[in-house]
Amino acid sequence: MPVPRLRAVLDDLVSYQPTEGVYGPARLRPLSANESPYSPLPSIVAAVAAAGVDAHRYPDPGCGELTRALARRLGVGPDQVLVGGGSVALLQSLLHAVGEPGAEVVYAWRSFELYPVLADLAGVRSVRVPLTSAAHDLSAMADRVTDATRLVLVCNPNNPTGTVVGADMLRAFLDRIPPTCLVALDEAYFEYVREPAAVSGLELRAAYPNLVVLRTFSKAYGLAGLRVGYLVGTADVVTRLRKACLAYAVNGVAQRAALAALDLEGELLRCVGATVAERTRVRHTLLTAGWDVPDGHGNFLWLGLGAHAAGFGLWCIESGIAVRTFDGEGVRVSIGSVEDNTAFLAAANEWQARTAMAKPAVPTTAVT
Ligand SMILES: *Cc1c(COP(=O)(O)O)cnc(C)c1O
C-alpha cells in the first residue's frame, strides 16, 4: 500500500522522548527537565490571569514591549533583540536561516539533545566534536569549521554536563571563526553561573558581529510552561533572522508573564541563588560519597556513569525520581526542591550500597 511521501529524514529521526512518569498520573519527583522548582510569584500569576482576558485577540507579533524591556535591561538596541517561542524556537529559526544544501553546523557532543534534531529537520549536516573531560574542546571545534560551516553552537554551560568555557578560551575560539559564519552561544543557564573565569557572549558581541546569544525565561525565570526565550545579535542579523520566525509565535500570556518576571528580577534571582546553594550541597554530598561529578554550572549535575547509566536511571525511577538518562553515557539530574534533592541523594546512596560500588571504585566520567 503506497504511503504519502514525506522527507526521508523523518524516517531516521528519533522523536523527543520525555522521561516516563513525569507527565502521567504517577508523578515522579521532577528532576529530569531542569525546571525551576519555584512556582511563579503571585504577581506573575496575576499577569497571566489578566492576559487571559485578551485571548480572543492575536498577540503583538513583534513582542514590542517585551523586546524594548529586554533591550533596556541588556543595554542594547531593540533592533538587536529577537523574542521567540522558547529559545528552542529561535534555534530552529537559526538553523532554517542557514539551511541551504551543503550547509553544516558544528557543535560539541554530547550537548543539548535538540541540536541534531533541529539540524536534521532544517537539512543542515551536523558535525559533532567530542567533549574532552565533559567540556567543550573549542580548539577541535574551530578545526572542524570549513567553508561549508554556516553555524557553530556553543552550549554554555553545556547541557547535560554542566561545564562552562572560560573567557580567554572563548575569545581565542571566536578569533578563529570566519566572520561569515554565525556562532550561537546557548546561554539557557547563564543566571546560574558563578564561575569567575566564565563570560557571557553579551560582553563579546561588540568584538564579534557574527555572535548571537540565546537566553530563555524557562529556567532561572521559572516560566518553562509559557515558552518564551530571546536572542541578541547585531541589528542586521536580527532583521534577517526575524523573517525565519513565525509571526504570532509568542502568545500574549507569555509576553505579559515575561514582562512581569523582568520586574521581579531581584526576587527571581534570589531563587536562583538558593538553587546554586543546593547544587553545591548535592555535588559535595555526592563527591564525599565517592561519585565523580563534574563542576556543574547550570541547575543540574552530570553523573558520567557510562555503562551504569541505564541501571542507575531505572533505579531512580523506581525510587520515584525522574532523571534524564543517556544510555551508555550518563545521567543528568536537575537541582529541584530541597526535599526532592534529598530524596535523590538517598536513592544514589542506596544504589551505591546495592551495587557494592565501594569507595573509591566509582565510575569515571565516560563522556569523551
Ligand atoms: C532548557 C534549554 C533551552 C531552553 O529552551 P526553551 O525553548 O527556551 O524552553 C535551550 N537550550 C538549552 C541547552 C537548554 O537546556
Side-chain angles (χ1 to χ4, degrees):
M1 180 76 172
V3 293
R5 285 171 61 167
L6 304 180
R7 283 174 60 205
V9 69
L10 296 174
D11 297 335
D12 303 328
L13 260 186
V14 185
S15 43
Y16 182 76
Q17 301 289 335
T19 302
E20 267 176 62
V22 181
Y23 303 106
R27 284 289 162 185
L28 303 177
R29 293 180 189 271
L31 300 184
S32 64
N34 296 349
E35 296 149 335
S36 166
Y38 302 98
S39 331
L41 293 165
S43 62
I44 298 181
V45 176
V48 166
V53 171
D54 292 323
H56 60 308
R57 303 286 181 200
Y58 280 106
D60 172 359
C63 303
E65 209 181 330
L66 179 56
T67 302
R68 286 189 295 276
L70 281 167
R72 272 195 305 276
R73 193 68 50 118
L74 303 169
V76 302
D79 55 353
Q80 297 172 318
V81 178
L82 182 57
V83 177
S87 51
V88 160
L90 292 163
L91 275 167
Q92 183 172 41
S93 299
L94 265 175
L95 280 152
H96 277 133
V98 300
E100 324 178 281
E104 294 183 355
V105 55
V106 172
Y107 52 86
W109 200 251
R110 168 146 315 256
S111 190
F112 190 31
E113 9 178 6
L114 281 180
Y115 296 160
V117 177
L118 297 175
D120 285 357
L121 284 175
V124 179
R125 200 175 84 83
S126 286
V127 176
R128 299 178 182 190
V129 181
L131 300 170
T132 41
S133 307
H136 277 73
D137 184 344
L138 288 179
S139 140
M141 287 175 71
D143 289 343
R144 300 296 300 277
V145 172
T146 69
D147 230 23
T149 315
R150 294 288 174 277
L151 177 65
V152 184
L153 296 169
V154 180
C155 190
N156 193 36
N158 188 46
N159 177 1
T161 55
T163 52
V164 283
V165 297
D168 293 345
M169 302 244 295
L170 190 56
R171 274 195 203 91
F173 164 77
L174 290 167
D175 284 336
R176 289 186 57 197
I177 309 301
T180 48
C181 175
L182 270 180
V183 177
L185 288 185
D186 187 341
E187 297 188 351
Y189 302 98
F190 162 75
E191 294 86 354
Y192 298 96
V193 175
R194 296 293 180 271
E195 168 58 52
V199 70
S200 163
L202 287 185
E203 295 168 48
L204 305 176
R205 280 178 50 258
Y208 304 98
N210 58 332
L211 191 62
V212 297
V213 176
L214 289 154
R215 298 257 182 100
T216 180
F217 284 92
S218 295
K219 309 286 160 60
Y221 289 87
L223 297 179
L226 292 176
R227 320 298 308 118
V228 46
Y230 58 94
L231 173 149
V232 183
T234 62
D236 161 62
V237 169
V238 164
T239 303
R240 287 187 286 154
L241 273 180
R242 199 185 297 281
K243 299 177 191 176
C245 295
L246 274 180
Y248 303 117
V250 187
N251 70 69
V253 179
Q255 293 185 39
R256 303 305 316 173
L259 274 163
L262 278 181
D263 275 343
L264 294 169
E265 214 168 27
E267 275 155 85
L268 290 167
L269 295 184
R270 264 197 293 285
C271 294
V272 168
T275 296
V276 169
E278 273 296 282
R279 176 179 79 199
T280 305
R281 175 178 80 95
V282 173
R283 178 163 184 259
H284 282 164
T285 308
L286 290 169
L287 288 177
T288 307
W291 296 74
D292 184 8
V293 191
D295 196 2
H297 298 273
N299 62 346
F300 56 90
L301 291 169
W302 173 250
L303 305 174
L305 294 163
H308 297 287
F312 180 65
L314 262 181
W315 169 249
C316 288
I317 294 199
E318 280 165 28
S319 312
I321 301 154
V323 293
R324 193 89 185 139
T325 302
F326 300 93
D327 208 353
E329 295 176 62
V331 167
R332 187 194 70 200
V333 58
S334 308
I335 302 299
S337 66
V338 173
E339 190 194 324
D340 288 353
N341 301 334
T342 300
F344 169 76
L345 288 171
N349 206 21
E350 174 81 14
W351 190 72
Q352 223 176 12
R354 290 195 174 211
T355 55
M357 282 194 349
K359 285 181 263 182
V362 290
T364 51
T365 304
V367 170
T368 51

